[in-house]
Amino acid sequence: MPAVPSSIIEPIWDQFVALIPPIIDTHPLGCHRPRIADRIIFDKLIQVLVLGASYIKISDSTCSATTLRTRWDEWITTGIFHTLEQICLEFYDRIIGLELDNLSVDGCIVKAPCGGEVAGRSPVDRGKQGTKRSLMVDGTGIPIGCVVAGANLHDSPLLRPTLDKLGRFGFDLPEAITVHLDAGYDSKKTRSLLEELGCDGVISTKGELLQAGGRWGVERTNSWHNRGFKKLALCTERRARVVEAFIALANAVIIVRRLIRQAWTSYRWDTRPARRP
């Protein structure tokens, strides 16, 4: 059984393969082993992301762990995963429409047993190593920006770099933007930042009981990250750029899945799945 349904992974692959730069053979004799097909590597990376398996355990006769890591690093260096995520967002915005007038931001702490560049002492796991994802979503929970840092950092300092991710949309932003935040952001510093950026804020008040609001979108997307992608729920990567690439790939899967689900009742296409995903 595939890690991701073919109705979702095939359109992602069609766009992904178009972004792969041409290969220049620099071998002096041109007699090295044939290059492993990109599709095999791509499918292996999807399995690593969804199942959380190590490169060694996911390798087989079609692809070794060394080849998987090498190709993975090549693609990260070209920025292909962030470009893929951006293209998915643009297509979703064109077909369905992003609700950028209502944003939600929240942090999520996961285990990082191997440490690394984005790991720190977790305040909720007896001081063990952990990673924090500061995630921003639109009004319906579509991920539009994420910043990774050590689990020991507070949510508030990560708010500015997270909101700066809106720059990926250029100047096509609503005039009035409301940011929904939980009580961890209830401070003068946060309100001053939102005022500086020209945004309204709906912030839960510290010391009060659980307050319902517009934060359901980011809570649900954090759940999608952790329950649907084991590699994100247990961060075993040590380099920040690798963690960010996995998050970008996971976001691309989430966006395409939501795009197909939303478009299923309004559009028809040749590869439209028989049932709404």
Side-chain angles (χ1 to χ4, degrees):
M1 181 176 181
V4 177
S6 60
S7 60
I8 296 173
I9 205 62
E10 289 302 328
I12 294 178
W13 165 249
D14 290 340
Q15 182 59 65
F16 186 86
V17 71
L19 298 174
I20 299 176
I23 304 301
I24 301 176
D25 191 354
T26 58
H27 195 282
L29 301 178
C31 58
H32 52 72
R33 291 182 179 179
R35 184 178 175 87
I36 302 298
D38 291 327
R39 181 57 192 266
I40 294 176
I41 304 294
F42 180 78
D43 288 340
K44 293 290 185 185
L45 290 176
I46 292 293
Q47 293 176 28
V48 170
L49 174 64
V50 174
L51 306 177
S54 65
Y55 300 109
I56 293 292
K57 291 185 177 181
I58 212 69
S59 62
D60 54 24
S61 59
T62 63
C63 174
S64 67
T66 301
T67 301
L68 186 59
R69 292 192 188 96
T70 302
R71 195 77 56 88
W72 177 233
D73 284 337
E74 289 178 4
W75 289 344
I76 292 176
T77 302
T78 62
I80 189 172
F81 295 100
H82 297 288
T83 304
L84 176 67
E85 180 189 18
Q86 180 68 24
I87 292 174
C88 291
L89 281 171
E90 291 174 357
F91 270 95
Y92 185 93
D93 190 30
R94 185 184 306 174
I95 298 174
I96 305 298
L98 292 168
E99 297 184 12
L100 298 178
D101 52 342
N102 276 288
L103 305 177
S104 301
V105 180
D106 196 12
C108 177
I109 296 177
V110 297
K111 295 178 181 293
C114 299
E117 299 174 353
V118 289
R121 290 175 58 86
S122 175
V124 296
D125 193 20
R126 297 169 291 174
K128 296 181 180 180
Q129 293 291 295
T131 294
K132 174 173 288 187
R133 298 192 307 264
S134 179
L135 179 66
M136 174 172 58
V137 303
D138 79 334
T140 61
I142 299 298
I144 56 178
C146 186
V147 174
V148 291
N152 55 318
L153 290 182
H154 195 270
D155 290 344
S156 184
L158 298 176
L159 181 58
R160 180 185 289 274
T162 305
L163 292 175
D164 286 344
K165 295 292 184 179
L166 284 173
R168 71 194 313 170
F169 299 106
F171 299 98
D172 300 328
L173 295 175
E175 295 183 359
I177 297 177
T178 301
V179 183
H180 300 265
L181 304 166
D182 65 11
Y185 299 89
D186 186 13
S187 66
K188 293 182 179 179
K189 182 178 179 180
T190 298
R191 292 181 173 85
S192 299
L193 173 61
L194 295 178
E195 183 178 356
E196 175 188 341
L197 299 177
C199 300
D200 297 325
V202 178
I203 308 175
S204 300
T205 305
K206 290 181 180 179
E208 296 187 4
L209 297 176
L210 184 63
Q211 303 153 63
R215 293 185 295 103
W216 63 270
V218 69
E219 301 289 353
R220 183 181 66 175
T221 306
N222 276 327
S223 178
W224 285 343
H225 275 162
N226 292 334
R227 294 178 64 87
F229 307 98
K230 301 302 182 183
K231 193 67 172 179
L232 302 186
L234 184 65
C235 183
T236 56
E237 299 292 341
R238 296 181 56 85
R239 292 178 294 169
R241 71 173 196 158
V242 177
V243 177
E244 292 170 353
F246 270 123
I247 294 174
L249 183 56
N251 287 345
V253 174
I254 290 174
I255 295 166
V256 171
R257 183 174 62 198
R258 293 298 301 172
L259 173 58
I260 294 175
R261 182 174 178 83
Q262 293 293 104
W264 194 86
T265 55
S266 303
Y267 301 93
R268 291 186 180 276
W269 60 96
D270 294 338
T271 57
R272 180 174 179 262
R275 293 185 299 176
R276 189 177 182 182

